[in-house]
Amino acid sequence: MRILFVEDSVDQATAVIGRLRRSGYAVDWAKDGESANQLFQEGVYDLVLLDLILPKVDGEIFLGRLRARKATVPVLVMTARGRLEEKVRVLDIGADDYVVKPFELTEIEARIRALLRRPHGHASSTITIANLTFDLARRRVEIDGHHVPLGQREFRLLELFLGKLDHLLTKDAILDHLFAFDEPAAPNAVELYVSRLRKKLAGTQVDIRTVWGEGYVAEHKKRQ
């Protein structure tokens, strides 16, 4: 999953981005609202983490412009502003969640998981398809109750496929979700990760089908 983090504090950005990338998220960083607007127009994001006190373009203005363009991407506001009236105003502008600094990174990750599963209609962090169990909160995959170790990007790729069952995902879309702008990807990166994931899903009812010249479709193949 790809995240846009809008934060002018270098220390805050370093801590949050480091934690999220270790969890397998692709994260782009914008230091001000103007840069954030440019990055959002150039990239495809699953979530925006937004500070409100920003140089050039204030966070509230950025959020208002985002919603004015009909962008439905979830937005988690992370700010030192904690007054009730400010929370209400920002939520009414279009924020999906609001957390006051200082915060614990474990809480931020939990809020991110909650926001990311909403568009896919998942009420829980656990998805079960026949003998396959995908646990987003624990970052754990099991087949027939046995743990299947996945690399960080393999795990995020499976998350992407399970959230888009029966929908075509182009190679470009997969690259956009798995890699940030400053994380170069090899030309065959998508094929490599899909191949690894297929092997590890052998024996499950989740089939990743290649649509030649277009991309991939993950399907729940029910056994006869």
Side-chain angles (χ1 to χ4, degrees):
M1 300 289 104
R2 191 169 180 182
I3 296 172
L4 174 59
F5 186 33
V6 191
E7 168 64 67
D8 63 330
S9 167
V10 175
D11 290 342
Q12 187 85 78
T14 300
V16 173
I17 292 173
R19 176 66 171 259
L20 294 181
R21 286 185 172 176
R22 286 193 296 274
S23 295
Y25 294 103
V27 186
D28 291 323
W29 177 29
K31 299 179 182 179
D32 57 72
E34 186 177 292
S35 301
N37 186 64
Q38 182 177 352
L39 283 174
F40 192 84
Q41 293 183 58
E42 295 175 355
V44 178
Y45 293 100
D46 300 286
L47 179 73
V48 175
L49 303 179
L50 178 64
D51 188 17
L52 295 181
I53 307 171
L54 297 169
K56 296 185 180 180
V57 176
D58 185 76
E60 286 189 37
I61 295 174
F62 170 76
L63 176 60
R65 291 176 179 174
L66 203 64
R67 295 313 186 209
R69 294 201 298 264
K70 307 300 182 184
T72 59
V73 59
V75 176
L76 169 57
V77 168
M78 304 158 57
T79 180
R81 296 179 181 174
R83 295 171 59 188
L84 178 59
E85 57 267 31
E86 291 179 324
K87 292 181 182 180
V88 171
R89 183 177 65 251
V90 172
L91 291 168
D92 283 341
I93 291 172
D96 296 88
D97 199 358
Y98 193 111
V99 64
V100 178
K101 299 177 181 178
F103 47 72
E104 294 292 336
L105 291 177
T106 51
E107 178 187 359
I108 294 301
E109 285 196 284
R111 289 175 182 266
I112 287 173
R113 290 193 296 269
L115 289 172
L116 288 177
R117 67 177 181 252
R118 285 181 191 172
H120 306 305
H122 300 309
S124 167
S125 288
T126 302
I127 301 171
T128 300
I129 299 178
N131 63 338
L132 172 69
T133 301
F134 176 88
D135 191 331
L136 181 58
R138 297 167 63 205
R139 295 202 291 274
R140 184 178 177 89
V141 174
E142 294 181 354
I143 297 176
D144 291 321
H146 300 290
H147 176 230
V148 179
L150 296 183
Q152 295 288 10
R153 286 206 171 93
E154 293 170 1
F155 184 88
R156 294 303 169 191
L157 180 59
L158 179 56
E159 178 186 3
L160 183 60
F161 277 131
L162 293 181
K164 296 285 187 180
L165 279 177
D166 300 318
H167 289 78
L168 175 70
L169 285 171
T170 66
K171 292 181 181 179
D172 285 343
I174 293 173
L175 282 172
D176 283 339
H177 284 284
L178 293 185
F179 294 90
F181 281 123
D182 61 349
E183 296 176 311
N188 64 338
V190 173
E191 291 89 342
L192 178 63
Y193 284 117
V194 169
S195 175
R196 289 177 179 173
L197 188 58
R198 277 178 173 150
K199 291 177 182 178
K200 293 181 179 181
L201 294 181
T204 74
Q205 293 181 25
V206 175
D207 178 60
I208 302 173
R209 177 168 58 87
T210 299
V211 181
W212 296 108
E214 297 187 57
Y216 303 92
V217 176
E219 299 170 321
H220 179 192
K221 292 289 189 181
K222 297 180 181 179
R223 292 172 181 162
Q224 302 297 323

